[in-house]
């Protein structure tokens, strides 16, 4: 990630009403993928808080290069435990971008690009962590 992209990721987050962004994200995600609703908690308030945690985790991961891979691999392992599969990452990334577009009218294409890159970077290492198998050799999937 370039310093400009990292700045954009944090600046868009600071400009957002996270509650409204969370609501928009869930609207986009669950209308496109209703089957994903059941792996999240029922409680809508907990759900919105979780969303904020997820965005902050992305913003924190991309600036902490030393801790990055360890943190995101572990995060990915925990997600496998929540029932999150590799196929779920792309729809979540798309719903996130759609939420920024609908909730931040002045969002710039470069801001959305920065988020796409940050999400992809984090998601890739999470998926790698989720597939980590102590009995397998190098990358079997
Ligand atoms: C870049 C991608 C993602 C990041 C950074 C992320 C981050 C987080 C964080 C920080 C938590 C709080 C719990 C913990 O630390 O283990 C969490 C929980 C959770 N995330 Fe994600 N997440 C991502 C992608 C996804 C995807 C693709 C799904 C699946 C649709 C998902 C579903 C969940 C669920 C179900 C929980 C637990 C809710 C609960 O039972 O309390 N996340 N995520």
């Amino acid at each position: 990630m370039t310093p400009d992209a990292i700045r954009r990721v944090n600046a868009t987050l600071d400009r957002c009403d996270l509650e409204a962004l969370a609501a928009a994200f869930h609207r986009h995600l669950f209308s496109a993928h209703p089957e994903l609703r059941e792996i999240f908690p029922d409680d809508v308030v907990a759900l919105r808080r979780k969303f904020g945690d997820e965005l902050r985790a992305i913003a924190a991961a991309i600036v902490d290069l030393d801790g990055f891979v360890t943190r995101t691999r572990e995060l990915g392992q925990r997600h496998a435990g929540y029932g999150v599969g590799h196929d779920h990452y792309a729809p979540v990334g798309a719903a996130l971008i759609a939420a920024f577009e609908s909730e931040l009218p002045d969002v710039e294409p470069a801001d959305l690009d920065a988020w796409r890159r940050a999400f992809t970077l984090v998601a890739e290492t999470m998926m790698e962590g989720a597939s980590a198998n102590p009995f397998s050799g190098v990358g079997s999937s």
Side-chain angles (χ1 to χ4, degrees):
M1 298 277 297
T2 62
D4 180 61
I6 291 174
R7 187 190 57 73
R8 285 177 184 276
V9 163
N10 284 285
T12 40
L13 215 49
D14 292 344
R15 277 201 337 268
C16 273
D17 171 347
L18 275 187
E19 280 273 312
L21 190 74
F25 167 77
H26 291 130
R27 223 171 31 242
H28 290 297
L29 183 63
F30 301 142
S31 68
H33 295 274
E35 74 281 5
L36 290 184
R37 180 63 184 91
E38 68 194 35
I39 67 171
F40 287 90
D42 290 338
D43 177 359
V44 176
V45 176
L47 198 55
R48 296 209 177 129
R49 205 186 47 232
K50 203 69 65 176
F51 175 78
D53 289 346
E54 299 205 11
L55 292 189
R56 291 201 184 88
I58 293 177
I62 59 171
V63 291
D64 173 21
L65 285 183
D66 287 342
F68 180 80
V69 176
T70 313
R71 286 177 52 148
T72 53
R73 285 174 69 96
E74 286 173 3
L75 188 60
Q77 279 171 1
R78 288 202 297 278
H79 276 68
Y82 303 147
V84 175
H86 290 197
D87 292 352
H88 297 151
Y89 284 87
V92 165
L96 177 64
I97 296 302
F100 277 122
E101 279 179 311
S102 62
E103 295 308 303
L104 274 185
D106 61 344
V107 74
E108 295 173 23
D111 296 328
L112 297 177
D113 269 356
W115 266 104
R116 274 191 203 97
R117 260 187 281 159
F119 183 87
T120 305
L121 198 62
V122 173
E124 291 286 338
T125 49
M126 284 176 70
M127 284 187 264
E128 202 181 287
S131 333
N133 175 341
F135 299 106
S136 71
V138 180
S140 54
S141 63

